[in-house]
Amino acid sequence: MRTQVCIIGGGPSGLLLSQLLNLKGIETVVLERKSRDYVLGRIRAGVLERGMVGLLREAGCAERMDIEGHPHEGCNLSTQHGMFRIDFKSLVNEEVMVYGQTEVTRDLYAAQDRIGATVIHDAADVAIHDPKSDAPYVTYRKDGVEHRVDCDYIAGCDGFHGVSRQTIPTGVRQEFERVYPFGWLGILSETAPAAEELVYANHPRGFALASMRSATLSRYYVQVPLSDKVEDWTDQMFWDELRRRLPAEVAEPMQTGPSIEKSIAPLRSFVCEPMQFGRLFLVGDAAHIVPPTGAKGLNLAASDVHYLSRALIAFYGAGDRQGIETYSATALKRIWGAMRFSWWMTSVLHRFPEASEFDQKIQESELLQLEEVESARRTMALNYVGLPY
Ligand code: FAS
Ligand code: PHB
């Protein structure tokens, strides 16, 4: 088959890119390795930046988000001194939207179905061919039959473990990485959220986060050693540890219940440069990973889609190649800004096993600055709601 843009990966970045391009008459084919049910079974991000909210509305798939999503005008930080609020509205006149990535992906699939976009599931052995040529193509296998997609451009939206980044030769790509000495044990429970807004806790026993998906679905995390396995933790052990780390005014009234999802995610910061190789463009987790502390992973995928969709629309609409030629540099500037913020928020809120007493005092001073200095809170708010596109 032939198309204009072949998109590898049917997660949020691939689907959002496909939706935005199709709405401008640009033909796409999405190749997704897994089934739709499998993709929709993953529990991931929960906070959408203002930029992503705008993109979803532009893509015509924000109706349910605007009804069921929860705008949040602030979040809370808890330290040994107590809890204080970062007031996004008063500091930067912005808010974020609390609405799960699973629901975003569900809405994107529904929007793609409505416009009859081509999304091929269970596409195995996807391989990229001749990305440096003027006639790149992609092959895949489905039901034991090999298929070929000839295209003008390829968007690698296939996540950290996908095939796209590996297609860029090791001598060409440069990778930057920091692996953190702990993970996040997360649970989803059909309980009322412990607080109206998110609570990020820095506790001597480790980090904890109280988040939510709706008025009846809560999402919680505690920092755990990398050696921990999810089977080491019963639900009761999790609730007890979470109660120890959250501030008393949040922990005491907290409703507990059985976990409906429980998993441990490792934390890393990772960037691949460049994000393009000939007619192949990397998008989202295929190019970068952030620790989830700053709620940036999904949102960075959205800003990549913003830049690439506009570049391709300008090219197909007016023959303007400028966006295509500068995509990597443009996307990386915002990526490194969010990479820094996610690293900073992780450094300030977690307990590091190898931290010296001096390191600990510096961390406490950083948190005290946030509590006492408005400009420090404003800088955090500006980054948390999302740097401009
Ligand atoms: P995705 O990984 O979502 O999607 C890639 C798609 O490509 C997948 O559907 C995959 O099946 C498919 N694929 C892979 N290889 C392929 C191949 N060879 N051929 C065809 N298809 C292929 N971010 C936050 O902001 N907040 C969070 O709390 C948060 N929690 C997370 C928890 C976990 C366990 C993980 C793994 C990530 C978390 N993230 C979080 C980050 C996450 O939300 C990503 O940033 C987001 O999914 C990025 O979207 P995509 O770039 O579309 O990649
Ligand atoms: C979540 O709700 O899953 C979530 C929210 C904020 C974060 C990380 C995860 O920083």
Side-chain angles (χ1 to χ4, degrees):
M1 75 183 85
R2 176 152 194 35
T3 191
Q4 289 173 300
V5 182
C6 184
I7 298 170
I8 304 173
S13 62
L15 296 170
L16 182 54
L17 179 63
S18 172
Q19 184 69 9
L20 290 169
L21 294 180
N22 276 278
L23 290 180
K24 294 291 185 183
I26 298 168
E27 290 171 12
T28 66
V29 169
V30 177
L31 300 176
E32 166 54 47
R33 174 167 65 178
K34 299 290 189 184
S35 69
R36 185 178 292 198
D37 286 349
Y38 183 94
V39 175
L40 291 174
R42 291 189 295 229
I43 306 297
R44 289 191 173 169
V47 173
L48 309 184
E49 290 176 347
R50 53 185 166 172
M52 178 159 201
V53 169
L55 273 181
L56 291 170
R57 288 176 179 148
E58 179 188 331
C61 53
E63 191 180 336
R64 196 160 69 97
M65 175 190 71
D66 283 330
I67 294 167
E68 298 178 14
H70 298 265
H72 278 207
E73 297 186 351
C75 72
N76 303 284
L77 299 187
S78 163
T79 73
Q80 292 299 87
H81 298 160
M83 188 161 76
F84 62 94
R85 187 165 182 262
I86 307 292
D87 186 336
F88 309 144
K89 203 67 181 172
S90 69
L91 289 164
V92 294
N93 193 29
E94 282 291 349
E95 60 190 29
V96 294
M97 178 72 80
V98 172
Y99 187 66
Q101 171 173 328
T102 307
E103 303 319 310
V104 170
T105 309
R106 197 187 312 279
D107 295 342
L108 282 166
Y109 269 119
Q112 289 271 277
D113 292 346
R114 284 196 297 273
I115 65 171
T118 305
V119 181
I120 297 168
H121 286 279
D122 303 312
D125 305 328
V126 170
I128 295 166
H129 305 272
D130 301 340
K132 294 284 275 187
S133 77
D134 288 343
Y137 65 96
V138 177
T139 54
Y140 68 95
R141 184 176 298 280
K142 185 172 168 79
D143 304 330
V145 178
E146 171 117 341
H147 298 268
R148 170 172 167 149
V149 182
D150 289 284
C151 52
D152 300 334
Y153 293 101
I154 302 165
C157 304
D158 48 349
F160 187 65
H161 301 291
V163 66
S164 299
R165 186 175 69 252
Q166 307 304 329
T167 302
I168 301 180
T170 47
V172 173
R173 69 177 196 262
Q174 192 175 2
E175 296 182 350
F176 306 84
E177 186 171 51
R178 169 168 295 203
V179 176
Y180 297 89
F182 39 72
W184 277 18
L185 166 63
I187 72 158
L188 195 64
S189 63
E190 288 171 334
T191 54
E196 285 187 7
E197 294 176 331
L198 273 63
V199 179
Y200 291 86
N202 173 306
H203 186 277
R205 294 176 65 90
F207 167 84
L209 169 60
S211 182
M212 73 282 292
R213 292 292 179 271
S214 71
T216 57
L217 198 58
S218 299
R219 181 73 165 155
Y220 295 106
Y221 299 94
V222 294
Q223 170 188 343
V224 293
L226 282 176
S227 52
D228 276 17
K229 301 277 178 292
V230 67
E231 51 269 19
D232 299 339
W233 286 80
T234 64
D235 285 1
Q236 194 54 54
M237 287 168 69
F238 180 90
W239 292 120
D240 293 345
E241 187 61 36
L242 184 65
R243 274 217 163 88
R244 292 186 193 102
R245 300 186 188 184
L246 290 177
E249 64 265 41
V250 173
E252 273 158 25
M254 180 171 68
Q255 187 189 359
T256 64
S259 59
I260 57 174
E261 193 271 348
K262 185 159 60 176
S263 56
I264 293 181
L267 270 65
R268 79 174 73 236
S269 298
F270 175 88
V271 180
C272 169
E273 292 188 2
M275 289 173 57
Q276 65 192 93
F277 182 66
R279 290 174 174 252
L280 167 65
F281 301 100
L282 301 185
V283 181
D285 278 17
H288 43 75
I289 295 286
V290 282
T293 324
K296 291 292 160 237
L298 175 61
N299 292 297
L300 271 182
S303 53
D304 291 350
V305 168
H306 166 83
Y307 297 127
L308 185 56
S309 60
R310 270 140 185 77
L312 289 166
I313 291 164
F315 169 70
Y316 282 109
D320 176 354
R321 306 184 62 88
Q322 205 257 342
I324 282 175
E325 286 161 5
T326 59
Y327 163 74
S328 181
T330 306
L332 282 167
K333 180 171 181 284
R334 188 174 191 275
I335 287 159
W336 277 109
M339 202 57 61
R340 182 209 64 82
F341 175 68
S342 303
W343 161 82
W344 171 81
M345 217 167 147
T346 303
S347 304
V348 163
L349 289 172
H350 291 73
R351 294 297 169 117
F352 286 71
E354 78 288 352
S356 65
E357 287 177 356
F358 175 83
D359 296 335
Q360 199 50 49
K361 296 301 275 183
I362 293 295
Q363 186 185 76
E364 286 162 18
S365 174
E366 186 91 47
L367 287 165
L368 194 60
Q369 273 238 351
L370 277 171
E371 187 170 2
E372 297 183 344
V373 180
E374 184 179 276
S375 60
R377 288 197 299 280
R378 179 169 292 108
T379 300
M380 177 179 166
L382 186 70
N383 282 275
Y384 193 93
V385 302
L387 296 171
Y389 281 3

